[in-house]
Amino acid sequence: MSQNPDIEARILQEISNAGINHIDLPTTEQISQLKYLHMCLKETLRLHPPLRALGKQCKKDCVVPGGYLIKKDTNVLVEVMSLHMNPAVYLDPRRFDPSRWVPEEEQKRSKASWLPFSTGPRGCIGMAFAVQEAKTVLAMFLHRFKFVYDGPPVVYDPKQATTKPLDFVVCIETRTDFPKPSDIVKNPEPKISITSPKAIPELSKDIKIGDVNLPPMTFLYGSQTGISQDYASTLSNQARKFGFKNVKLTAMDKWEVLRSGTYESPKDPKKANELAVICTSTYNGLPPDNAEAFDQFLDKADNPRNEKLLNGLQYAVFGIGNKNWRTYQHFPIKVNNLLDELGAERFFSLGECNVDGDMDAEFNEWSAHFWSNLLAYYGLSVSKDISVIPSTSVNSESFISAAVNHISISDSEKWSVAVSNRNGDHNSLLVKNSELQNKGSGRSTRDIRIDISRLDPLEADSMYQPGDHLEILPENESNVVETVALGFGMVLDSVFEIDQEKLDGMSPRSLAAIIKGPCTVRNALTYYADLLSPPSRRMLGCFSQQLQQIDQETAKLFEGLIMPDSYGKDQYPEFIKKYRTLIDLQTGFPQVKQIELGQFLAAVGVMQPRRYSIASSPRMFPNEAHLAVGVVDDVVDGHHYPGLASSFLARQVAGLSEKAWFRARLRSSKGIFEMPQDSKTPIIMISAGTGISPFRGFIQERAYQHQQGDNSVGECVVFFGCRHPDQDRIYGEEFDQYAKEGVISSLNVAYSRQTPASARKYVQHQVLANASKIWQMIMPEDGKPPAVVYICGSGAMSRDVRATFHSMAISYGQAKNQEEAQDFIKSLMESKQYCEDVWG
């Protein structure tokens, strides 16, 4: 930086725009904005890697580029600087040039061209953390200090194993030229050629698709909501475009290896072994429904005799999870680890995305690196029109537009079917819809009571158990439906049917892939289409392709939102702050209104069901499920953005009319968030806001046990957080009554906005204030059963409560430090003595 003032100026501007200073610790969000600094660090590590050489052992006979045969078990010493200074990979390799690390340039290179922290099982597991630390410290230092170096080129101490600088002296001055924040960072012209993100580098001029013995590829998905299936389908379509001939796509439980019980390598040595690419989600750490048999197959790894069961198979795993859950990526990690233990060879590192973040961007990035690595492995060259980035690969006709047949009004049979096509049966009846909050709160929480007698029960003797969920399939409001339809020039009461024979390449999350049989446009928009979520990168990618012949400027703008630009700047997060829904997109870009129905169905995704914790007990209400629904209504610049499911439930009218019916299904939390089997076991319930929902069911269950004459029912201790006792203490009178009757042995409420303010402002403060009582319950010394702790609410609240329990473990001598405290709470979680049900 000292010797490249233009680069230093850009770094300082980036730090300023992120709002980072040397006094306040920066947030993770601020650090994530330092994309150019990240590129500078990678270039620095290229020129000055911490390791001189990497020791490797050859696992099998292989021929490396250049024609050298390396025998199995041969020890190899890899000179890192030879990799990092290869002029065939890095033009003018001794020049400091951060623009080498723009995504389009980086994806051209083999992963093995940059190994500052080694690679493989012996690679540094702390690399990402170390880079994060470096960005944090550098940003704070650079805000306060200016570092000046005008000495000779850096040399290393020959006596050190690592590349420690020798006689390296820097002058440190007080910073006086720190810039003010600016909306625009001027990007200097890169010193190397930047190619279009659509292009894939020609990795070999002599080898073409068809000349290489390519492996058969199997894409497996474990999916609960369709996301994993969509990603696996996208990758399989890309594989076909790249020239892979033998490509299969199937659910994890239908993998043919599960039927045979083992993987058999091709008998012909000229044929390549199979490459399995697995995209899977996880729910509370458990496998999706269509991956349960696969999960059981993995358990064979416990038997040492099965360590060669999958010999010859190569694999890569991409996981989908939610970081608000402690079980984030639990099942994908299990798949990634146990396939290796069963003898398969990991071809590419585990990828992951967070559904509570920008999951499509994370998938796109992993996919780009995966394909670049795979194509480089086989030395392939493919058409420059084919992209390694999934969202820019939407150039096939089947992806751009669904084949739609418009049904004549004279076909009365199909019209009758279309009118009743509502994405499932309306099987649930609303019997009560009232407000739980008091006047003056400024918010709304609805007491929703539903007749569920027509649903499939979860238990043999009851519809559900306390702690289970009710999954609601919401509907779009008629005004929203009409606005979208009229904006796109759709006839709401017309009938169409999608040609099921022409769905190849269609996203499983698209309307086109989900709607079966004749359907009216009105029903498609009301019961299927996700109209209130922000436009996804995939949708914008589709619109970009569809608008190529209509409006190239808008098409180019949308294409630029799919991935970060050449300088690592991602425009998408800011874009969706302004264009939060499809209606906003319609208003801001009238050009999209020219998109036809088939194109719309291919681009727009299907709405996802919403899960709510059931706030009742089947002993008290055998045919009803009660929900506490916090109604979402965000106001931005005077415009209201309602939550899809909460606003749908809030506007429903109880009764026997047709409008009181809607679609729902029960979902079990058995083994994850269920009450103790033994009623003598004490329970501690900690929640805030609508997180109290399952605990109302728990308390009703314990009240029923009391009513049945069970005098040995365990203690029930409740901790609840809300804003004000006169405004949003939902179910307050009911819980007070249970406390008077002795069902609740201790009721502790924290008010965050009460005047005068209390020291016990948040629920974790109430927990800490009652630490002695809680500790005696979870670690009893009098022979009583230990209490089970339950936490329900937002991810932030659950983390604060968990931190409180860490402090308790240290304070009461159970742990010596924070690490041991975390291990202790983790052990409670594994033994089901500490259970969480959290959301974003």
Side-chain angles (χ1 to χ4, degrees), residues 519-535:
C519 186
T520 66
V521 170
R522 186 184 300 276
N523 282 2
L525 297 181
T526 302
Y527 303 110
Y528 289 93
D530 188 354
L531 304 180
L532 296 184
S533 292

Side-chain angles (χ1 to χ4, degrees), residues 235-493:
L235 292 170
S236 67
N237 290 329
Q238 283 186 284
R240 294 185 182 96
K241 290 177 185 177
F242 288 139
F244 291 82
K245 302 299 182 184
N246 190 349
V247 178
K248 299 177 183 177
L249 173 68
T250 185
M252 293 172 72
D253 278 355
K254 294 184 179 180
W255 189 30
E256 56 190 17
V257 171
L258 299 189
R259 291 195 297 270
S260 63
T262 185
Y263 172 74
E264 295 185 6
S265 298
K267 296 180 180 179
D268 186 350
K270 295 182 179 180
K271 292 186 176 181
N273 285 323
E274 179 180 349
L275 173 58
V277 182
I278 303 162
C279 298
T280 182
S281 59
T282 186
Y283 176 66
N284 268 342
L286 301 177
D289 292 344
N290 56 2
E292 291 179 347
F294 191 98
D295 181 50
Q296 294 171 6
F297 175 80
L298 291 177
D299 292 337
K300 291 184 177 182
D302 291 338
N303 189 337
R305 291 180 297 179
N306 291 327
E307 62 182 9
K308 296 183 179 181
L309 205 62
L310 300 180
N311 267 14
L313 176 73
Q314 293 183 307
Y315 72 94
V317 180
F318 185 83
I320 295 92
N322 189 321
K323 283 189 175 179
N324 286 305
W325 293 81
R326 67 174 180 84
T327 53
Y328 175 69
Q329 298 295 336
H330 183 88
F331 181 63
I333 290 171
K334 177 180 179 179
V335 173
N336 191 55
N337 291 340
L338 294 192
L339 286 178
D340 179 69
E341 293 185 23
L342 289 169
E345 180 181 353
R346 187 182 296 112
F347 178 81
F348 197 66
S349 57
L350 172 68
E352 64 179 54
C353 71
N354 174 27
V355 297
D356 198 41
D358 194 350
M359 63 179 183
D360 286 343
E362 293 170 318
F363 171 69
N364 288 349
E365 183 175 358
W366 180 86
S367 300
H369 289 291
F370 168 76
W371 286 118
S372 296
N373 187 77
L374 179 61
L375 296 171
Y377 185 83
Y378 288 99
L380 295 177
S381 166
V382 299
S383 168
K384 288 181 178 292
D385 295 328
I386 303 175
S387 173
V388 293
I389 303 172
S391 293
T392 59
S393 298
V394 292
N395 51 9
S396 68
E397 287 299 320
S398 62
F399 202 95
I400 293 175
S401 181
V404 175
N405 300 318
H406 294 275
I407 308 301
S408 170
I409 197 170
S410 62
D411 193 338
S412 58
E413 183 177 348
K414 285 194 173 183
W415 271 65
S416 176
V417 172
V419 171
S420 60
N421 185 346
R422 300 188 293 183
N423 194 15
D425 296 329
H426 283 55
N427 52 13
S428 302
L429 177 65
L430 183 67
V431 297
K432 183 181 180 182
N433 183 352
S434 61
E435 182 58 56
L436 283 171
Q437 296 205 29
N438 297 325
K439 291 182 179 180
S441 74
R443 298 180 300 161
S444 174
T445 301
R446 306 300 297 183
D447 180 11
I448 303 292
R449 304 191 180 191
I450 304 164
D451 181 347
I452 58 170
S453 58
R454 292 167 181 79
L455 302 188
D456 294 330
L458 297 176
E459 306 288 335
D461 58 345
S462 65
M463 295 295 294
Y464 61 93
Q465 291 296 330
D468 286 341
H469 295 141
L470 186 67
E471 197 170 71
I472 301 294
L473 285 79
E475 301 167 16
N476 287 310
E477 193 174 10
S478 59
N479 183 55
V480 173
V481 169
E482 290 189 5
T483 301
V484 172
L486 296 177
F488 280 98
M490 300 176 187
V491 180
L492 276 169
D493 294 317

